[in-house]
Amino acid sequence: ISTGATKEVVSTFFEALADAEAMRQAEFDATLHLQASSRRMLQRRRFGHERQRAITLERVYRGHLGRLRYEDSQEERDAWMRRAFWDSNAVLVQKIWRGFSSRKHVHNFYLRKAYLQSVAQRGAAVHDILEKHHQTLAELEGEREESERLAQFEGVVSSLHHLLSTQSCPGLYNSPYQQMAPLTVYGLPIEEHLRNVASGTLRSTIASTMTSKTGMG
């Protein structure tokens, strides 16, 4: 190899070393950038996988908690329904027992029936007594009014004694023109009442006449 060729090779080598030295920092920076990009990509991929696994784990755990809560709510609902069922049955039994006890010891049907019958009988007896008393009062009042009417009638008839017929002259109430239909009071002619008041038998005669009429009616 000639000297010129050797120098050229050496010169080329040193130029290459100089270029390499000049590019060393740029290559170093590029290497660091490449490593950082690679580590960032790997980290992102690892973070994505871990995040997906975390999401899956959280989803599974939330589902597990949801099923547990649902089971708890179902158990509470079933317990509430059972409690409500037995409470309603207990209330029904208590109601039936209270009704039986009340009818047996407090408001016995047969005792109340007997009591009401006795009250009805007592009321009927009192009603009969009051009815009889009312009839008695009505009869007494009727007798009193009848006695007053008889007294008034007797007074009127006593004041008409001068109209009584005599053997020689017929009285006003014994006119020959009224023999077919004489005037009557209490079912007797007035002429007879005038004779009875004179003899003192007015009331007895009227009473016997009214009694006979009542018996015939």
Side-chain angles (χ1 to χ4, degrees):
I1 300 173
S2 63
T3 303
T6 301
K7 289 181 178 180
E8 185 178 356
V9 170
V10 171
S11 177
T12 303
F13 175 73
F14 283 109
E15 288 179 358
L17 287 177
D19 293 336
E21 183 65 23
M23 296 295 296
R24 186 174 64 82
Q25 186 62 38
E27 292 176 355
F28 181 75
D29 294 338
T31 302
L32 290 179
H33 182 72
L34 181 62
Q35 291 177 353
S37 298
S38 177
R39 284 194 298 270
R40 184 168 56 252
M41 181 188 66
L42 294 175
Q43 190 65 27
R44 285 180 178 175
R45 185 179 298 174
R46 187 181 303 111
F47 175 76
H49 291 316
E50 292 179 355
R51 183 173 180 274
Q52 189 64 34
R53 286 193 293 267
I55 291 173
T56 303
L57 181 61
E58 290 174 356
R59 183 179 67 249
V60 172
Y61 185 68
R62 284 195 300 270
H64 174 68
L65 292 180
R67 286 187 292 273
L68 290 179
R69 285 194 295 269
Y70 176 75
E71 291 176 359
D72 293 339
S73 65
Q74 290 293 103
E75 291 180 357
E76 291 179 359
R77 187 198 64 180
D78 295 340
W80 180 84
M81 293 181 64
R82 288 192 298 269
R83 185 167 57 253
F85 172 75
W86 292 115
D87 288 344
S88 63
N89 288 338
V91 169
L92 180 61
V93 171
Q94 292 174 0
K95 180 174 67 176
I96 295 174
W97 170 252
R98 285 196 299 269
F100 169 76
S101 178
S102 176
R103 291 188 296 272
K104 182 71 175 177
H105 303 291
V106 180
H107 301 292
N108 188 282
F109 171 76
Y110 299 102
L111 292 179
R112 289 173 64 84
K113 182 178 179 181
Y115 171 74
L116 293 176
Q117 289 178 350
S118 66
V119 170
Q121 294 174 357
R122 190 179 301 112
V126 173
H127 181 269
D128 293 338
I129 293 173
L130 293 176
E131 186 67 24
K132 292 179 180 179
H133 182 67
H134 176 71
Q135 291 178 358
T136 302
L137 292 178
E139 292 174 358
L140 293 175
E141 183 66 20
E143 292 177 358
R144 185 185 65 80
E145 292 178 355
E146 185 64 24
S147 178
E148 291 179 355
R149 284 195 297 269
L150 284 175
Q152 293 177 359
F153 180 69
E154 187 177 9
V156 172
V157 174
S158 298
S159 65
L160 298 177
H161 61 88
H162 58 281
L163 299 178
L164 182 64
S165 298
T166 62
Q167 293 181 356
S168 60
C169 180
L172 177 65
Y173 297 104
N174 192 23
S175 173
Y177 303 104
Q178 296 180 352
Q179 293 297 322
M180 298 301 295
L183 297 176
T184 59
V185 178
Y186 290 109
L188 295 174
I190 297 178
E191 180 71 18
E192 187 174 348
H193 286 305
L194 292 175
R195 292 193 182 94
N196 291 334
V197 75
S199 62
T201 59
L202 177 67
R203 294 198 178 194
S204 60
T205 304
I206 292 175
S208 61
T209 302
M210 299 299 294
T211 302
S212 63
K213 284 187 177 181
T214 303
M216 291 177 62

